[in-house]
């Protein structure tokens, strides 16, 4: 079954020219002080199977952009296309239901997708195995470590069977070692599934370790300030010299954006 799903996914990806297309998108919010422009004229494509990180200082509109791509909000101007259907979304908090087991949390996503009841448990177990949690189907949320909870959350996101996975700082609350392990696991899963990933972070080294392309947003209003293609072969380590070198270059640009914002 997994092989059939993989072949079907490959066929779908092959027919698409992009997994996401963001064209001249702006977003404003109304407040007591009037309308506030958060995102300004952003254009960005994510290719099928591409891993893109969105990087920027706190408050630059990274999460707002992700919410727009997810369909949780509408842009004030511009358009967003996701030809493969509604994207899957993974948050910083695992958002698992504590009264359900790990497997049942995943089954909930499968049920909402329309998977037949008889097929849900085998598929949930397959997804748990994919995220290296085989045998954890019956475990409650309180029995899982922080890293394990995020693995279950990732499995639940994958259960949505979308070709585009949106990730909003999913590892920010984890300790360095657990985060490092999950970086490696996410890279493996991305390579195995041929997913397109749009990953939001404020951590420069995380962005460089994971992505094929890093997109830096300016401080508010968020605009595409600069992009880098990351040609460092996978698997990468966060302490690799090439990762450190590119991270330093990107950090200097990020600092410049923060300084520029502070002068306004």
């Amino acid at each position: 079954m997994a092989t059939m799903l993989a072949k079907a996914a490959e066929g779908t990806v092959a027919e698409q020219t992009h997994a996401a297309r963001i064209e001249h998108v702006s977003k404003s919010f109304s407040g007591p002080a009037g309308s506030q422009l958060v995102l300004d004229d952003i254009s960005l494509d994510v290719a099928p199977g591409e891993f893109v990180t969105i990087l920027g200082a706190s408050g630059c509109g990274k999460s707002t952009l992700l919410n727009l791509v997810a369909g949780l909000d509408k842009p004030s101007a511009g358009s967003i296309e996701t030809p493969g259907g509604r994207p899957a979304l993974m948050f910083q908090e695992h958002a698992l239901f504590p009264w359900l087991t790990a497997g049942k949390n995943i089954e909930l996503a499968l049920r909402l997708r329309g998977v037949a009841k008889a097929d849900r448990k085998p598929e949930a177990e397959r997804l748990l195995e994919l995220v290296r949690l085989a045998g954890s189907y019956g475990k409650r949320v309180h029995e899982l470590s922080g890293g394990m909870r995020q693995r279950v959350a990732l499995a639940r996101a994958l259960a949505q069977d979308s070709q585009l996975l949106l990730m909003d700082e999913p590892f920010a609350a984890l300790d360095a070692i657990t985060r490092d392990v999950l970086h490696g696991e996410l890279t493996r899963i991305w390579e195995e599934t041929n997913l397109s990933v749009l990953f939001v972070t404020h951590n420069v080294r995380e962005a460089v370790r994971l992505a094929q392309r890093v997109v830096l947003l300016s401080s508010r209003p968020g605009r595409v300030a600069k992009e880098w293609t990351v040609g460092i072969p996978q698997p990468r380590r966060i302490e690799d010299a090439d990762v450190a070198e590119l991270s330093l270059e990107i950090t200097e640009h990020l600092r410049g954006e923060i300084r520029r914002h502070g002068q306004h």
Side-chain angles (χ1 to χ4, degrees):
M1 180 179 176
T3 304
M4 291 174 64
L5 286 172
K7 287 182 178 178
E10 287 172 7
T12 303
V13 170
E15 295 165 5
Q16 297 174 8
T17 59
H18 56 275
R21 174 159 290 166
I22 303 163
E23 291 191 297
H24 302 293
V25 163
S26 297
K27 180 65 180 177
S28 299
F29 292 101
S30 298
S35 181
Q36 184 179 31
L37 183 63
V38 177
L39 296 172
D40 184 25
D41 195 26
I42 289 183
S43 293
L44 174 70
D45 277 8
V46 179
E50 186 180 19
F51 198 128
V52 178
T53 52
I54 304 292
L55 182 67
S58 296
C60 73
K62 301 185 298 296
S63 294
T64 298
L65 180 60
L66 215 64
N67 287 339
L68 294 175
V69 178
L72 301 179
D73 201 355
K74 294 183 179 180
S76 304
S79 64
I80 298 174
E81 298 175 3
T82 54
R86 186 162 188 162
L89 180 59
M90 183 176 172
F91 301 98
Q92 181 174 337
E93 295 296 327
H94 58 76
L96 298 174
F97 295 109
W99 58 87
L100 297 178
T101 66
K104 289 296 184 182
N105 266 283
I106 298 168
E107 281 195 43
L108 181 60
L110 294 170
R111 180 164 68 86
L112 292 173
R113 200 182 96 202
V115 175
K117 186 175 181 180
D119 296 331
R120 290 176 204 158
K121 184 174 182 181
E123 179 64 1
E125 289 176 329
R126 183 189 73 81
L127 289 166
L128 284 168
E129 185 174 357
L130 179 64
V131 298
R132 309 272 201 214
L133 282 180
S136 298
Y137 178 93
K139 289 189 176 181
R140 300 276 179 178
V141 174
H142 72 271
E143 298 179 277
L144 305 173
S145 67
M148 293 170 75
R149 291 172 187 176
Q150 286 302 82
R151 288 173 190 256
V152 176
L154 176 56
R156 183 180 59 184
L158 295 173
Q160 297 174 47
D161 197 32
S162 173
Q163 283 304 302
L164 175 61
L165 176 61
L166 309 176
M167 308 185 79
D168 192 0
E169 302 197 64
F171 309 138
L174 302 175
D175 64 85
I177 297 299
T178 303
R179 188 165 60 245
D180 182 66
V181 170
L182 288 179
H183 285 162
E185 292 297 293
L186 177 58
T187 300
R188 174 185 59 82
I189 290 167
W190 165 66
E191 291 176 335
E192 288 181 10
T193 59
N194 204 31
L195 276 170
S196 306
V197 180
L198 190 59
F199 187 107
V200 160
T201 183
H202 63 272
N203 185 313
V204 178
R205 286 217 181 190
E206 179 174 66
V208 174
R209 175 175 181 177
L210 292 172
Q212 294 177 299
R213 184 158 50 107
V214 176
V215 178
L216 176 64
L217 294 189
S218 63
S219 291
R220 189 170 293 191
R223 303 182 180 100
V224 174
K226 191 171 176 63
E227 296 186 18
W228 289 264
T229 298
V230 185
I232 307 166
Q234 290 282 14
R236 304 171 195 150
R237 302 286 299 175
I238 211 157
E239 66 272 14
D240 287 347
D242 289 344
V243 171
E245 183 179 356
L246 182 54
S247 297
L248 182 61
E249 178 186 336
I250 296 174
T251 298
E252 286 304 309
H253 284 271
L254 176 58
R255 285 174 178 161
E257 288 299 324
I258 294 170
R259 283 195 297 267
R260 184 191 61 78
H261 179 68
Q263 292 168 359
H264 286 275

